[in-house]
Amino acid sequence: GAGVSQSPSNKVTEKGKDVELRCDPISGHTALYWYRQSLGQGLEFLIYFQGNSAPDKSGLPSDRFSAERTGGSVSTLTIQRTQQEDSAVYLCASSLGGQGRAFFGQGTRLTVV
Amino acid sequence: AQSVTQLGSHVSVSEGALVLLRCNYSSSVPPYLFWYVQYPNQGLQLLLKYTTGATLVKGINGFEAEFKKSETSFHLTKPSAHMSDAAEYFCAVSAGGSARQLTFGSGTQLTVLP
């Protein structure tokens, strides 16, 4: 596609429910990243994919968070048993290789009520 | 280890006035430095970046930033603010130039007053 696409753009969920956030990177970009932007805080790195493997998961805040990437393309970030502190904007980015410029999606605004 | 500090979570300027958004970094290796802008309901866009070479970097929309190693700073400036510049601006540092190593500041919300 022309840019990084994320869906849904907004998600409201009840505490304790599971959510899935989707990212479609730019076609041909092998590297994919997930970031989180919490209210009043900066962006924090969550996880990095090179192809389908995730060599760096160091930013995932707890074992309730997981992500996968299939076919070297679409990625899904899953949050299980959501908590209110999970409320944030989740941003996905992709780049052509690990050293390339990162292009960001519009983000998914998650609200846990 | 690396970190970024953006001074001022909110900055207001009048239309036509100078824009100055401050960013200080720390990095154990020569840094790559970035400014990103986020307009409402949009993703981050790269404004400009410094890797090596000339310390004054020009970006899109009339913005520029100067890398000052002695001050560990990478402040963003624009001579004359426009209403369309109202957005949130993020400074970021990467030790190795890779997006997975990007560390972002907490952001500065720029308001442009008529």
Side-chain angles (χ1 to χ4, degrees):
Chain A
V4 178
S5 177
Q6 291 186 245
S7 60
S9 55
N10 280 283
K11 175 72 176 178
V12 180
T13 189
E14 293 181 351
K15 178 182 173 181
K17 301 277 191 181
D18 298 352
V19 294
E20 284 189 354
L21 312 181
R22 177 187 168 104
C23 174
D24 267 289
I26 292 174
S27 179
H29 280 193
T30 58
L32 185 146
Y33 321 83
W34 283 98
Y35 290 87
R36 179 169 72 173
Q37 184 179 3
S38 302
L39 186 64
Q41 299 187 30
L43 285 160
E44 57 176 319
F45 166 79
L46 296 178
I47 187 170
Y48 158 67
F49 285 93
Q50 182 61 255
N52 290 336
S53 64
D56 190 349
K57 305 180 183 179
S58 61
L60 294 178
S62 77
D63 58 9
R64 295 187 295 106
F65 287 72
S66 63
E68 65 174 13
R69 188 180 186 195
T70 56
S73 181
V74 173
S75 176
T76 303
L77 177 69
T78 302
I79 309 173
Q80 296 178 308
R81 305 181 302 283
T82 51
Q83 303 295 313
Q84 288 187 328
E85 61 262 29
D86 300 333
S87 297
V89 175
Y90 290 82
L91 283 161
C92 175
S94 70
S95 68
L96 190 63
Q99 297 291 330
R101 168 189 163 181
F103 291 80
F104 285 79
Q106 294 184 341
T108 294
R109 182 175 298 278
L110 175 66
T111 303
V112 181
V113 298
Chain B
Q2 56 193 32
S3 66
V4 177
T5 301
Q6 289 184 241
L7 296 175
S9 59
H10 291 85
V11 171
S12 293
V13 300
S14 298
E15 192 174 18
L18 171 72
V19 176
L20 171 61
L21 304 183
R22 299 179 186 273
C23 173
N24 288 88
Y25 71 91
S26 68
S27 176
S28 56
V29 298
Y32 287 44
L33 295 159
F34 307 80
W35 276 99
Y36 284 88
V37 61
Q38 187 174 25
Y39 298 102
N41 301 314
Q42 296 187 30
L44 290 169
Q45 295 178 37
L46 181 65
L47 266 182
L48 49 80
K49 66 178 179 181
Y50 168 79
T51 54
T52 58
T55 57
L56 182 62
V57 181
K58 295 187 183 299
I60 61 172
N61 301 337
F63 284 93
E64 61 183 36
E66 186 171 11
F67 169 58
K68 292 187 176 180
K69 184 178 179 181
S70 61
E71 298 177 9
T72 61
S73 68
F74 191 57
H75 302 329
L76 182 70
T77 60
K78 182 174 180 178
S80 177
H82 192 274
M83 297 297 288
S84 62
D85 295 327
E88 186 150 24
Y89 292 79
F90 291 90
C91 181
V93 63
S94 169
S98 167
R100 69 183 165 118
Q101 295 169 324
L102 277 170
T103 299
F104 288 86
S106 56
T108 298
Q109 183 68 46
L110 176 66
T111 300
V112 181
L113 305 171

